[in-house]
Amino acid sequence: MKNLVKYFPVRGGLLQRVVAWVQAVDDVSFSIKEGETLGLVGESGCGKTTVGRTLLRLVPATGGSVIYDGQDVLKANGLELKALRRNMQIIFQDPFSSLDPRMPVGESIAEGLLVHGMGSRRERFEIVINTLRKVGLEDYHARRYPHEFSGGQRQRIGIARALALRPKFIICDEPVSALDVSIQAQVLNILRELQGEFGLTYLFIAHNLSVVEHISDRVAVMYLGKMVELTDRDELYRNPLHPYTQALMSAIPIPDPTLKRERIVLKGDVPSPLRPPSGCRFHPRCPVALEHCSKEEPQFKEVSPGHWVACWRVE
C-alpha cells in the first residue's frame, strides 16, 4: 500500500451536494511480506476495516495504490481483477450479515468455487466438506441455514468460506471477536496451521492486543485514519514508542493479581474524522504533547531498523 486514501462524502441540503468528507483513511503506507501475519490495531473508528475493504476494492479508493504480486489492484479490471480476487479473500467481522439467510451454508461456501469455475459439482462438494472439517464443523452442517448456528459457529463458516478458494492473502477483520476465549484459541490455532499448510499471508485486524501478540509477526497501529507505529511484534510489546501505542499497551490485563501495570488513561473521545485536529491528530489527547505537535504533522519515519513511528517527541 502506497499513500492509500479513502474519503467518504457527506451530503446535505436540498440538492444533496457534498458538504464535507469523512477522512477514514488518510495517506497510509505499509507492506506485508509473503507468508507473514501483520496485525492492525487501534480504537473503533480509526479506519482499520476501511483499510482492509479498500485493499480488496470492496470500496473504491480515493487515492494511492495497492500493489499485489506486481499488479496494481486499484487499476485492474475484468478477468485480471477476477483472478486477483481468487487470491485475496476476507473474513468479515459480522458473520451473520455476510451470509445469505436463504442459502444453506454449504452453498455459500461453494459459491466462490462456482464463480471461479473450480472443479466439478462433486469436487466442489468435497472441498466444502473438507473446509468445514478444518474449522471444527461437521459434514451435516453444510445443509443448515445461517440462523440455525450460534455466533461462534457462523464465524467459523465465514472462515471456511474465505479458505475454500485456497487464496494466498486473507484479510481477517476481527475474526475471533464473536467467540468465547476457548473457541478463540482454537480458531487462532486453525489459522496458524492453515498458514503453515498453504503458505497464507494474513492482515489481522483486531482490538484485542493479546490476540494480536499471539498470532502476529509484525504489528501496525492506526489512529484516526493515520498510521502511527509499525514494527516487529516483540519490539512493539517490549518498547512502544508512540504515546498512543503506550496507552493501548497499558490497558492489556496481566494474568497475575500480584503484578500491577501503570495505566495510561486517555482523556476525551476520538476526534471526528470530519474535522481532524491540525498537526498530529493525537495531540488533543496526548499526555506528553509538545507545542509543535498541534502545528505540524509528524512524518511516518523509520527511527530504527524496521521500527516506524510518526511522533515529534520520538524525533
Side-chain angles (χ1 to χ4, degrees), residues 221 223 226-230 241-245 280-282 293 296-303 307-315:
V221 183
Y223 181 80
K226 289 280 189 180
M227 194 71 68
V228 297
E229 191 162 2
L230 169 64
L241 296 180
H242 197 280
Y244 178 62
T245 310
C280 174
R281 295 190 175 185
F282 184 60
C293 296
E296 188 176 352
E297 183 180 329
Q299 297 298 310
F300 193 54
K301 291 184 177 180
E302 190 173 19
V303 296
H307 199 152
W308 296 72
V309 185
C311 180
W312 286 119
R313 181 170 283 278
V314 173
E315 288 194 27

PDB file of all heavy atoms in Angstrom, residues 221 223 226-230 241-245 280-282 293 296-303 307-315:
ATOM      1  N   VAL A 221      -0.106   0.117  14.136  1.00  0.00           N
ATOM      2  CA  VAL A 221      -1.061   0.821  14.996  1.00  0.00           C
ATOM      3  C   VAL A 221      -1.609   2.019  14.230  1.00  0.00           C
ATOM      4  O   VAL A 221      -0.843   2.823  13.684  1.00  0.00           O
ATOM      5  CB  VAL A 221      -0.398   1.295  16.309  1.00  0.00           C
ATOM      6  CG1 VAL A 221      -1.434   1.949  17.218  1.00  0.00           C
ATOM      7  CG2 VAL A 221       0.274   0.124  17.021  1.00  0.00           C
ATOM      8  N   TYR A 223      -4.416   5.421  14.151  1.00  0.00           N
ATOM      9  CA  TYR A 223      -5.212   6.355  14.956  1.00  0.00           C
ATOM     10  C   TYR A 223      -5.833   7.384  14.019  1.00  0.00           C
ATOM     11  O   TYR A 223      -5.123   8.100  13.315  1.00  0.00           O
ATOM     12  CB  TYR A 223      -4.361   7.054  16.010  1.00  0.00           C
ATOM     13  CG  TYR A 223      -5.154   8.008  16.883  1.00  0.00           C
ATOM     14  CD1 TYR A 223      -5.922   7.523  17.939  1.00  0.00           C
ATOM     15  CD2 TYR A 223      -5.179   9.372  16.638  1.00  0.00           C
ATOM     16  CE1 TYR A 223      -6.677   8.373  18.738  1.00  0.00           C
ATOM     17  CE2 TYR A 223      -5.925  10.235  17.430  1.00  0.00           C
ATOM     18  CZ  TYR A 223      -6.670   9.734  18.477  1.00  0.00           C
ATOM     19  OH  TYR A 223      -7.424  10.581  19.256  1.00  0.00           O
ATOM     20  N   LYS A 226      -4.703   7.474  10.374  1.00  0.00           N
ATOM     21  CA  LYS A 226      -3.266   7.591  10.135  1.00  0.00           C
ATOM     22  C   LYS A 226      -2.516   6.427  10.770  1.00  0.00           C
ATOM     23  O   LYS A 226      -2.912   5.908  11.812  1.00  0.00           O
ATOM     24  CB  LYS A 226      -2.722   8.896  10.742  1.00  0.00           C
ATOM     25  CG  LYS A 226      -3.152  10.165  10.012  1.00  0.00           C
ATOM     26  CD  LYS A 226      -2.308  10.386   8.781  1.00  0.00           C
ATOM     27  CE  LYS A 226      -2.569  11.760   8.172  1.00  0.00           C
ATOM     28  NZ  LYS A 226      -1.762  11.987   6.969  1.00  0.00           N
ATOM     29  N   MET A 227      -1.409   6.047  10.162  1.00  0.00           N
ATOM     30  CA  MET A 227      -0.519   5.061  10.756  1.00  0.00           C
ATOM     31  C   MET A 227       0.415   5.777  11.726  1.00  0.00           C
ATOM     32  O   MET A 227       1.051   6.774  11.369  1.00  0.00           O
ATOM     33  CB  MET A 227       0.294   4.366   9.662  1.00  0.00           C
ATOM     34  CG  MET A 227       1.000   3.123  10.120  1.00  0.00           C
ATOM     35  SD  MET A 227      -0.116   1.747  10.438  1.00  0.00           S
ATOM     36  CE  MET A 227      -0.673   1.390   8.782  1.00  0.00           C
ATOM     37  N   VAL A 228       0.490   5.294  12.973  1.00  0.00           N
ATOM     38  CA  VAL A 228       1.332   5.964  13.960  1.00  0.00           C
ATOM     39  C   VAL A 228       2.553   5.131  14.360  1.00  0.00           C
ATOM     40  O   VAL A 228       3.550   5.698  14.798  1.00  0.00           O
ATOM     41  CB  VAL A 228       0.526   6.357  15.221  1.00  0.00           C
ATOM     42  CG1 VAL A 228      -0.558   7.354  14.874  1.00  0.00           C
ATOM     43  CG2 VAL A 228      -0.053   5.143  15.922  1.00  0.00           C
ATOM     44  N   GLU A 229       2.476   3.804  14.224  1.00  0.00           N
ATOM     45  CA  GLU A 229       3.630   2.975  14.569  1.00  0.00           C
ATOM     46  C   GLU A 229       3.544   1.630  13.871  1.00  0.00           C
ATOM     47  O   GLU A 229       2.462   1.080  13.685  1.00  0.00           O
ATOM     48  CB  GLU A 229       3.733   2.783  16.092  1.00  0.00           C
ATOM     49  CG  GLU A 229       5.035   2.154  16.557  1.00  0.00           C
ATOM     50  CD  GLU A 229       5.322   2.369  18.035  1.00  0.00           C
ATOM     51  OE1 GLU A 229       4.481   2.989  18.731  1.00  0.00           O
ATOM     52  OE2 GLU A 229       6.382   1.936  18.502  1.00  0.00           O
ATOM     53  N   LEU A 230       4.708   1.111  13.478  1.00  0.00           N
ATOM     54  CA  LEU A 230       4.785  -0.186  12.804  1.00  0.00           C
ATOM     55  C   LEU A 230       6.140  -0.797  13.098  1.00  0.00           C
ATOM     56  O   LEU A 230       7.172  -0.177  12.849  1.00  0.00           O
ATOM     57  CB  LEU A 230       4.607  -0.015  11.286  1.00  0.00           C
ATOM     58  CG  LEU A 230       4.908  -1.239  10.400  1.00  0.00           C
ATOM     59  CD1 LEU A 230       3.932  -2.370  10.705  1.00  0.00           C
ATOM     60  CD2 LEU A 230       4.827  -0.859   8.928  1.00  0.00           C
ATOM     61  N   LEU A 241       6.943   3.135  21.230  1.00  0.00           N
ATOM     62  CA  LEU A 241       7.490   4.493  21.230  1.00  0.00           C
ATOM     63  C   LEU A 241       6.427   5.576  21.152  1.00  0.00           C
ATOM     64  O   LEU A 241       6.590   6.642  21.743  1.00  0.00           O
ATOM     65  CB  LEU A 241       8.474   4.655  20.056  1.00  0.00           C
ATOM     66  CG  LEU A 241       9.730   3.784  20.097  1.00  0.00           C
ATOM     67  CD1 LEU A 241      10.598   4.046  18.873  1.00  0.00           C
ATOM     68  CD2 LEU A 241      10.521   4.030  21.372  1.00  0.00           C
ATOM     69  N   HIS A 242       5.357   5.328  20.426  1.00  0.00           N
ATOM     70  CA  HIS A 242       4.328   6.358  20.275  1.00  0.00           C
ATOM     71  C   HIS A 242       3.454   6.403  21.539  1.00  0.00           C
ATOM     72  O   HIS A 242       3.091   5.357  22.087  1.00  0.00           O
ATOM     73  CB  HIS A 242       3.448   6.061  19.054  1.00  0.00           C
ATOM     74  CG  HIS A 242       2.655   7.239  18.586  1.00  0.00           C
ATOM     75  ND1 HIS A 242       1.486   7.634  19.199  1.00  0.00           N
ATOM     76  CD2 HIS A 242       2.864   8.119  17.574  1.00  0.00           C
ATOM     77  CE1 HIS A 242       1.010   8.698  18.576  1.00  0.00           C
ATOM     78  NE2 HIS A 242       1.819   9.019  17.594  1.00  0.00           N
ATOM     79  N   PRO A 243       3.111   7.599  22.030  1.00  0.00           N
ATOM     80  CA  PRO A 243       2.276   7.694  23.251  1.00  0.00           C
ATOM     81  C   PRO A 243       0.940   6.965  23.129  1.00  0.00           C
ATOM     82  O   PRO A 243       0.440   6.417  24.122  1.00  0.00           O
ATOM     83  CB  PRO A 243       2.065   9.202  23.407  1.00  0.00           C
ATOM     84  CG  PRO A 243       3.220   9.833  22.703  1.00  0.00           C
ATOM     85  CD  PRO A 243       3.549   8.925  21.562  1.00  0.00           C
ATOM     86  N   TYR A 244       0.360   6.924  21.931  1.00  0.00           N
ATOM     87  CA  TYR A 244      -0.908   6.213  21.746  1.00  0.00           C
ATOM     88  C   TYR A 244      -0.705   4.708  21.906  1.00  0.00           C
ATOM     89  O   TYR A 244      -1.500   4.029  22.564  1.00  0.00           O
ATOM     90  CB  TYR A 244      -1.485   6.534  20.373  1.00  0.00           C
ATOM     91  CG  TYR A 244      -2.768   5.804  20.061  1.00  0.00           C
ATOM     92  CD1 TYR A 244      -3.904   6.000  20.837  1.00  0.00           C
ATOM     93  CD2 TYR A 244      -2.850   4.905  18.993  1.00  0.00           C
ATOM     94  CE1 TYR A 244      -5.087   5.332  20.557  1.00  0.00           C
ATOM     95  CE2 TYR A 244      -4.028   4.242  18.712  1.00  0.00           C
ATOM     96  CZ  TYR A 244      -5.144   4.457  19.491  1.00  0.00           C
ATOM     97  OH  TYR A 244      -6.307   3.795  19.223  1.00  0.00           O
ATOM     98  N   THR A 245       0.373   4.183  21.327  1.00  0.00           N
ATOM     99  CA  THR A 245       0.686   2.758  21.479  1.00  0.00           C
ATOM    100  C   THR A 245       0.937   2.418  22.944  1.00  0.00           C
ATOM    101  O   THR A 245       0.497   1.381  23.443  1.00  0.00           O
ATOM    102  CB  THR A 245       1.916   2.387  20.636  1.00  0.00           C
ATOM    103  OG1 THR A 245       1.757   2.872  19.305  1.00  0.00           O
ATOM    104  CG2 THR A 245       2.105   0.889  20.589  1.00  0.00           C
ATOM    105  N   CYS A 280      -0.414  16.839  14.550  1.00  0.00           N
ATOM    106  CA  CYS A 280      -0.575  15.430  14.919  1.00  0.00           C
ATOM    107  C   CYS A 280      -2.016  15.208  15.380  1.00  0.00           C
ATOM    108  O   CYS A 280      -2.508  15.920  16.251  1.00  0.00           O
ATOM    109  CB  CYS A 280       0.401  15.059  16.040  1.00  0.00           C
ATOM    110  SG  CYS A 280       0.161  13.378  16.681  1.00  0.00           S
ATOM    111  N   ARG A 281      -2.667  14.220  14.831  1.00  0.00           N
ATOM    112  CA  ARG A 281      -4.080  14.004  15.144  1.00  0.00           C
ATOM    113  C   ARG A 281      -4.289  13.514  16.579  1.00  0.00           C
ATOM    114  O   ARG A 281      -5.392  13.583  17.095  1.00  0.00           O
ATOM    115  CB  ARG A 281      -4.681  13.008  14.153  1.00  0.00           C
ATOM    116  CG  ARG A 281      -4.696  13.544  12.733  1.00  0.00           C
ATOM    117  CD  ARG A 281      -5.487  12.686  11.792  1.00  0.00           C
ATOM    118  NE  ARG A 281      -5.565  13.311  10.474  1.00  0.00           N
ATOM    119  CZ  ARG A 281      -6.274  12.840   9.460  1.00  0.00           C
ATOM    120  NH1 ARG A 281      -6.980  11.725   9.620  1.00  0.00           N
ATOM    121  NH2 ARG A 281      -6.300  13.472   8.303  1.00  0.00           N
ATOM    122  N   PHE A 282      -3.240  13.042  17.208  1.00  0.00           N
ATOM    123  CA  PHE A 282      -3.362  12.535  18.568  1.00  0.00           C
ATOM    124  C   PHE A 282      -3.100  13.609  19.616  1.00  0.00           C
ATOM    125  O   PHE A 282      -3.364  13.389  20.805  1.00  0.00           O
ATOM    126  CB  PHE A 282      -2.388  11.354  18.757  1.00  0.00           C
ATOM    127  CG  PHE A 282      -2.484  10.679  20.085  1.00  0.00           C
ATOM    128  CD1 PHE A 282      -3.672  10.088  20.514  1.00  0.00           C
ATOM    129  CD2 PHE A 282      -1.384  10.613  20.936  1.00  0.00           C
ATOM    130  CE1 PHE A 282      -3.763   9.464  21.752  1.00  0.00           C
ATOM    131  CE2 PHE A 282      -1.455   9.983  22.168  1.00  0.00           C
ATOM    132  CZ  PHE A 282      -2.650   9.405  22.576  1.00  0.00           C
ATOM    133  N   CYS A 293       3.433  19.947  18.265  1.00  0.00           N
ATOM    134  CA  CYS A 293       2.563  18.850  17.813  1.00  0.00           C
ATOM    135  C   CYS A 293       1.265  19.351  17.183  1.00  0.00           C
ATOM    136  O   CYS A 293       0.703  18.699  16.302  1.00  0.00           O
ATOM    137  CB  CYS A 293       2.250  17.917  18.976  1.00  0.00           C
ATOM    138  SG  CYS A 293       3.700  17.061  19.641  1.00  0.00           S
ATOM    139  N   GLU A 296       2.252  21.141  13.205  1.00  0.00           N
ATOM    140  CA  GLU A 296       2.753  20.428  12.025  1.00  0.00           C
ATOM    141  C   GLU A 296       2.611  18.924  12.216  1.00  0.00           C
ATOM    142  O   GLU A 296       2.883  18.400  13.299  1.00  0.00           O
ATOM    143  CB  GLU A 296       4.220  20.790  11.763  1.00  0.00           C
ATOM    144  CG  GLU A 296       4.756  20.241  10.455  1.00  0.00           C
ATOM    145  CD  GLU A 296       6.187  20.698  10.188  1.00  0.00           C
ATOM    146  OE1 GLU A 296       6.690  21.562  10.947  1.00  0.00           O
ATOM    147  OE2 GLU A 296       6.803  20.173   9.247  1.00  0.00           O
ATOM    148  N   GLU A 297       2.212  18.253  11.158  1.00  0.00           N
ATOM    149  CA  GLU A 297       2.001  16.805  11.237  1.00  0.00           C
ATOM    150  C   GLU A 297       3.331  16.065  11.155  1.00  0.00           C
ATOM    151  O   GLU A 297       4.135  16.328  10.246  1.00  0.00           O
ATOM    152  CB  GLU A 297       1.090  16.357  10.090  1.00  0.00           C
ATOM    153  CG  GLU A 297       0.742  14.891  10.114  1.00  0.00           C
ATOM    154  CD  GLU A 297      -0.173  14.504   8.961  1.00  0.00           C
ATOM    155  OE1 GLU A 297      -0.975  15.351   8.532  1.00  0.00           O
ATOM    156  OE2 GLU A 297      -0.072  13.359   8.494  1.00  0.00           O
ATOM    157  N   PRO A 298       3.609  15.136  12.070  1.00  0.00           N
ATOM    158  CA  PRO A 298       4.874  14.387  12.006  1.00  0.00           C
ATOM    159  C   PRO A 298       4.868  13.392  10.854  1.00  0.00           C
ATOM    160  O   PRO A 298       3.825  12.841  10.492  1.00  0.00           O
ATOM    161  CB  PRO A 298       4.922  13.674  13.360  1.00  0.00           C
ATOM    162  CG  PRO A 298       3.494  13.519  13.755  1.00  0.00           C
ATOM    163  CD  PRO A 298       2.772  14.726  13.215  1.00  0.00           C
ATOM    164  N   GLN A 299       6.032  13.148  10.289  1.00  0.00           N
ATOM    165  CA  GLN A 299       6.160  12.180   9.204  1.00  0.00           C
ATOM    166  C   GLN A 299       6.312  10.772   9.777  1.00  0.00           C
ATOM    167  O   GLN A 299       6.854  10.580  10.868  1.00  0.00           O
ATOM    168  CB  GLN A 299       7.370  12.524   8.338  1.00  0.00           C
ATOM    169  CG  GLN A 299       7.267  13.865   7.628  1.00  0.00           C
ATOM    170  CD  GLN A 299       6.101  13.915   6.663  1.00  0.00           C
ATOM    171  OE1 GLN A 299       5.930  13.022   5.827  1.00  0.00           O
ATOM    172  NE2 GLN A 299       5.271  14.954   6.767  1.00  0.00           N
ATOM    173  N   PHE A 300       5.821   9.809   9.018  1.00  0.00           N
ATOM    174  CA  PHE A 300       5.952   8.403   9.405  1.00  0.00           C
ATOM    175  C   PHE A 300       7.346   7.956   8.992  1.00  0.00           C
ATOM    176  O   PHE A 300       7.604   7.699   7.815  1.00  0.00           O
ATOM    177  CB  PHE A 300       4.858   7.589   8.710  1.00  0.00           C
ATOM    178  CG  PHE A 300       4.688   6.190   9.245  1.00  0.00           C
ATOM    179  CD1 PHE A 300       4.468   5.954  10.589  1.00  0.00           C
ATOM    180  CD2 PHE A 300       4.735   5.099   8.383  1.00  0.00           C
ATOM    181  CE1 PHE A 300       4.300   4.666  11.082  1.00  0.00           C
ATOM    182  CE2 PHE A 300       4.558   3.814   8.860  1.00  0.00           C
ATOM    183  CZ  PHE A 300       4.347   3.601  10.217  1.00  0.00           C
ATOM    184  N   LYS A 301       8.274   7.870   9.981  1.00  0.00           N
ATOM    185  CA  LYS A 301       9.678   7.639   9.674  1.00  0.00           C
ATOM    186  C   LYS A 301      10.206   6.384  10.360  1.00  0.00           C
ATOM    187  O   LYS A 301       9.699   5.966  11.393  1.00  0.00           O
ATOM    188  CB  LYS A 301      10.524   8.838  10.129  1.00  0.00           C
ATOM    189  CG  LYS A 301      10.294  10.109   9.331  1.00  0.00           C
ATOM    190  CD  LYS A 301      11.236  11.203   9.803  1.00  0.00           C
ATOM    191  CE  LYS A 301      11.063  12.465   8.963  1.00  0.00           C
ATOM    192  NZ  LYS A 301      11.982  13.545   9.411  1.00  0.00           N
ATOM    193  N   GLU A 302      11.270   5.832   9.786  1.00  0.00           N
ATOM    194  CA  GLU A 302      11.952   4.680  10.368  1.00  0.00           C
ATOM    195  C   GLU A 302      12.999   5.194  11.343  1.00  0.00           C
ATOM    196  O   GLU A 302      14.029   5.739  10.948  1.00  0.00           O
ATOM    197  CB  GLU A 302      12.601   3.829   9.274  1.00  0.00           C
ATOM    198  CG  GLU A 302      13.114   2.485   9.765  1.00  0.00           C
ATOM    199  CD  GLU A 302      13.593   1.598   8.631  1.00  0.00           C
ATOM    200  OE1 GLU A 302      13.858   2.126   7.534  1.00  0.00           O
ATOM    201  OE2 GLU A 302      13.713   0.377   8.841  1.00  0.00           O
ATOM    202  N   VAL A 303      12.733   5.050  12.643  1.00  0.00           N
ATOM    203  CA  VAL A 303      13.634   5.584  13.668  1.00  0.00           C
ATOM    204  C   VAL A 303      14.717   4.586  14.072  1.00  0.00           C
ATOM    205  O   VAL A 303      15.727   4.961  14.643  1.00  0.00           O
ATOM    206  CB  VAL A 303      12.836   6.039  14.910  1.00  0.00           C
ATOM    207  CG1 VAL A 303      11.914   7.193  14.566  1.00  0.00           C
ATOM    208  CG2 VAL A 303      12.032   4.881  15.503  1.00  0.00           C
ATOM    209  N   HIS A 307      11.532  -0.221  12.604  1.00  0.00           N
ATOM    210  CA  HIS A 307      10.620   0.408  13.562  1.00  0.00           C
ATOM    211  C   HIS A 307      10.236   1.792  13.044  1.00  0.00           C
ATOM    212  O   HIS A 307      11.051   2.711  13.017  1.00  0.00           O
ATOM    213  CB  HIS A 307      11.289   0.519  14.937  1.00  0.00           C
ATOM    214  CG  HIS A 307      10.316   0.730  16.053  1.00  0.00           C
ATOM    215  ND1 HIS A 307      10.550   0.328  17.356  1.00  0.00           N
ATOM    216  CD2 HIS A 307       9.064   1.287  16.080  1.00  0.00           C
ATOM    217  CE1 HIS A 307       9.513   0.638  18.113  1.00  0.00           C
ATOM    218  NE2 HIS A 307       8.608   1.230  17.362  1.00  0.00           N
ATOM    219  N   TRP A 308       8.955   1.928  12.617  1.00  0.00           N
ATOM    220  CA  TRP A 308       8.445   3.163  12.035  1.00  0.00           C
ATOM    221  C   TRP A 308       7.517   3.856  13.027  1.00  0.00           C
ATOM    222  O   TRP A 308       6.662   3.220  13.635  1.00  0.00           O
ATOM    223  CB  TRP A 308       7.677   2.868  10.747  1.00  0.00           C
ATOM    224  CG  TRP A 308       8.524   2.295   9.650  1.00  0.00           C
ATOM    225  CD1 TRP A 308       9.045   1.038   9.591  1.00  0.00           C
ATOM    226  CD2 TRP A 308       8.944   2.962   8.469  1.00  0.00           C
ATOM    227  NE1 TRP A 308       9.758   0.876   8.435  1.00  0.00           N
ATOM    228  CE2 TRP A 308       9.717   2.038   7.725  1.00  0.00           C
ATOM    229  CE3 TRP A 308       8.737   4.234   7.950  1.00  0.00           C
ATOM    230  CZ2 TRP A 308      10.285   2.361   6.494  1.00  0.00           C
ATOM    231  CZ3 TRP A 308       9.295   4.567   6.721  1.00  0.00           C
ATOM    232  CH2 TRP A 308      10.071   3.631   6.013  1.00  0.00           C
ATOM    233  N   VAL A 309       7.677   5.164  13.186  1.00  0.00           N
ATOM    234  CA  VAL A 309       6.876   5.936  14.127  1.00  0.00           C
ATOM    235  C   VAL A 309       6.576   7.308  13.529  1.00  0.00           C
ATOM    236  O   VAL A 309       7.396   7.864  12.788  1.00  0.00           O
ATOM    237  CB  VAL A 309       7.590   6.117  15.489  1.00  0.00           C
ATOM    238  CG1 VAL A 309       6.679   6.821  16.489  1.00  0.00           C
ATOM    239  CG2 VAL A 309       8.043   4.800  16.072  1.00  0.00           C
ATOM    240  N   ALA A 310       5.391   7.850  13.846  1.00  0.00           N
ATOM    241  CA  ALA A 310       5.046   9.224  13.477  1.00  0.00           C
ATOM    242  C   ALA A 310       4.816  10.016  14.770  1.00  0.00           C
ATOM    243  O   ALA A 310       3.705  10.033  15.301  1.00  0.00           O
ATOM    244  CB  ALA A 310       3.793   9.249  12.600  1.00  0.00           C
ATOM    245  N   CYS A 311       5.885  10.618  15.293  1.00  0.00           N
ATOM    246  CA  CYS A 311       5.779  11.339  16.574  1.00  0.00           C
ATOM    247  C   CYS A 311       6.918  12.344  16.688  1.00  0.00           C
ATOM    248  O   CYS A 311       8.092  11.989  16.516  1.00  0.00           O
ATOM    249  CB  CYS A 311       5.819  10.356  17.739  1.00  0.00           C
ATOM    250  SG  CYS A 311       5.710  11.131  19.368  1.00  0.00           S
ATOM    251  N   TRP A 312       6.572  13.614  16.992  1.00  0.00           N
ATOM    252  CA  TRP A 312       7.591  14.646  17.148  1.00  0.00           C
ATOM    253  C   TRP A 312       8.468  14.388  18.376  1.00  0.00           C
ATOM    254  O   TRP A 312       9.657  14.661  18.363  1.00  0.00           O
ATOM    255  CB  TRP A 312       6.930  16.014  17.275  1.00  0.00           C
ATOM    256  CG  TRP A 312       6.375  16.540  15.993  1.00  0.00           C
ATOM    257  CD1 TRP A 312       5.074  16.852  15.709  1.00  0.00           C
ATOM    258  CD2 TRP A 312       7.100  16.834  14.789  1.00  0.00           C
ATOM    259  NE1 TRP A 312       4.939  17.297  14.426  1.00  0.00           N
ATOM    260  CE2 TRP A 312       6.183  17.292  13.830  1.00  0.00           C
ATOM    261  CE3 TRP A 312       8.438  16.723  14.436  1.00  0.00           C
ATOM    262  CZ2 TRP A 312       6.542  17.670  12.541  1.00  0.00           C
ATOM    263  CZ3 TRP A 312       8.808  17.091  13.145  1.00  0.00           C
ATOM    264  CH2 TRP A 312       7.880  17.546  12.215  1.00  0.00           C
ATOM    265  N   ARG A 313       7.888  13.857  19.447  1.00  0.00           N
ATOM    266  CA  ARG A 313       8.680  13.638  20.650  1.00  0.00           C
ATOM    267  C   ARG A 313       9.737  12.558  20.408  1.00  0.00           C
ATOM    268  O   ARG A 313      10.874  12.668  20.913  1.00  0.00           O
ATOM    269  CB  ARG A 313       7.768  13.228  21.815  1.00  0.00           C
ATOM    270  CG  ARG A 313       8.489  13.011  23.119  1.00  0.00           C
ATOM    271  CD  ARG A 313       7.531  12.846  24.280  1.00  0.00           C
ATOM    272  NE  ARG A 313       6.976  14.127  24.712  1.00  0.00           N
ATOM    273  CZ  ARG A 313       7.609  14.967  25.528  1.00  0.00           C
ATOM    274  NH1 ARG A 313       8.815  14.680  25.965  1.00  0.00           N
ATOM    275  NH2 ARG A 313       7.041  16.098  25.883  1.00  0.00           N
ATOM    276  N   VAL A 314       9.417  11.540  19.644  1.00  0.00           N
ATOM    277  CA  VAL A 314      10.391  10.500  19.329  1.00  0.00           C
ATOM    278  C   VAL A 314      11.521  11.079  18.496  1.00  0.00           C
ATOM    279  O   VAL A 314      12.707  10.776  18.685  1.00  0.00           O
ATOM    280  CB  VAL A 314       9.719   9.312  18.600  1.00  0.00           C
ATOM    281  CG1 VAL A 314      10.753   8.316  18.121  1.00  0.00           C
ATOM    282  CG2 VAL A 314       8.720   8.628  19.509  1.00  0.00           C
ATOM    283  N   GLU A 315      11.176  11.955  17.531  1.00  0.00           N
ATOM    284  CA  GLU A 315      12.206  12.580  16.698  1.00  0.00           C
ATOM    285  C   GLU A 315      13.103  13.479  17.554  1.00  0.00           C
ATOM    286  O   GLU A 315      14.311  13.563  17.317  1.00  0.00           O
ATOM    287  CB  GLU A 315      11.533  13.393  15.583  1.00  0.00           C
ATOM    288  CG  GLU A 315      10.885  12.549  14.515  1.00  0.00           C
ATOM    289  CD  GLU A 315      10.527  13.357  13.287  1.00  0.00           C
ATOM    290  OE1 GLU A 315      11.186  14.390  13.031  1.00  0.00           O
ATOM    291  OE2 GLU A 315       9.576  12.989  12.594  1.00  0.00           O
TER     292      GLU A 315
END
